Amino acid sequence: MTESYEVIVVGGGAAGLSAALVLGRARRRTLVVDAGEPRNAPAAHMQGFLTRDGMPPAEFLAVGREEIARYGVDLVRDRAVDVRRVADVRRPGSPHGVPSAHGTPDTAPTAPGIGHPPEVDATHPYDGFEVTLASGRTVRARRLVVATGLRDELPDVPGVAERFGRDVLHCPYCHGWEVRDRAFGVLATSPLSVHQALMVTQWSKDVTFFLHRVAERDLAEEDLRRLGAAGVRIVPGEVAGLVVEDDRLSGVRLADGTVHAREAVFVAPRAVPGTDLLERLGAELRETPFGAYPVIDEQGRTSVPGVWAAGNASGFSEQVINAASRGYRAGAAINGDLLFADLDAAAGIGH
């Protein structure tokens, strides 16, 4: 039997839980599908989230799951493997028993929120989506939030994956304070890594830029001048691995055997956005230097009517606090979208 919801949120990170919290408080029957693979799992603590600075990521998510449960939001540990558009997704009943315009029980929104955009087809207010889970279960909903994040693909250098989130880091805003004034290394993955090498000088004046497989001739002249002005040392040559002593990073070893003493290494992983479901639905994507992401409006609406994207599935630079904000916007927009779709259908207003 296929169970129906008003909204399915795919992804149980900060963005997905935030969207679900807003929707639950708006009395929308909501399901969160959580594969349990948060991007920041390797990190011991998350930083820069007001009132939650230093909180372990797992604890943050556990609190979020407790909060959405208070408002009747369902959560299932599973993976969404397929999605398709379907017709006649009926408004699910709710314990509130509020009659809808069509005589079926439904949840009642507490505020109108944001009206639906012109592309929503109010003449078919029950069109929606069927999501297939890895367990074989299928669930349906009238609206869909894709908050599937992104995956960090690390360079194939011995020690990098093992130390990632500890003394191999990617975001100075997330980890810079904790390693301030130590000897930094920056492992280049592309010419764009110059930006990272320059940024981390705010947290340490002892920075070495390891070119690895990037040729110095591929760096812009202006960037070379900036590196010089910042006092960043440039070391050519392929990196063979990291040196770890007593469970602490102590150096970077080049292929020629040279070891450079370093206490922390920053690296920019290749971002692999979790856009599979969006692509299956034909969502328009935009290419960026950090991967392809959906084209969205300020509320997170994609080019597919009825589908929103939030968090790192919608953009590369969505730290936890930004992802939560994106989820909140999406939840509020969806509540308003559903409300006005139903009112227009009841009033015979077509679009």
Side-chain angles (χ1 to χ4, degrees), residues 223-345:
D223 284 336
L224 291 171
R225 290 165 58 188
R226 290 187 182 106
L227 290 167
V232 175
R233 292 177 298 280
I234 301 174
V235 175
E238 186 168 344
V239 173
L242 304 182
V243 179
V244 178
E245 298 174 333
D246 298 325
D247 199 29
R248 295 176 67 90
L249 177 67
S250 62
V252 174
R253 179 182 290 110
L254 301 185
D256 64 6
T258 305
V259 174
H260 296 259
R262 298 287 93 186
E263 298 171 282
V265 169
F266 284 85
V267 60
R270 176 176 173 267
V272 183
T275 55
D276 289 353
L277 298 178
L278 293 169
E279 292 179 49
R280 288 174 183 268
L281 292 168
E284 181 183 355
L285 303 181
R286 70 186 191 284
E287 290 291 338
T288 78
F290 309 104
Y293 297 88
V295 175
I296 58 173
D297 69 7
E298 291 183 357
Q299 276 70 48
R301 291 181 179 91
T302 71
S303 61
V304 180
V307 179
W308 275 253
N312 278 133
S314 67
F316 174 74
S317 300
E318 300 296 334
Q319 282 105 340
V320 178
I321 195 166
N322 296 329
S325 173
R326 284 285 190 187
Y328 189 105
R329 288 188 183 190
I334 289 170
N335 178 58
D337 182 57
L338 287 168
L339 175 65
F340 278 93
D342 292 339
L343 290 175
D344 288 359

Side-chain angles (χ1 to χ4, degrees), residues 28 54 65 75 82 102 123 144 160 173 180 308 320 323 335-336:
R28 296 291 180 185
R65 288 190 289 268
L75 184 145
D82 198 7
H102 299 269
T123 63
L144 181 68
V160 168
Y173 291 103
R180 64 194 182 279
W308 275 253
V320 178
N335 178 58

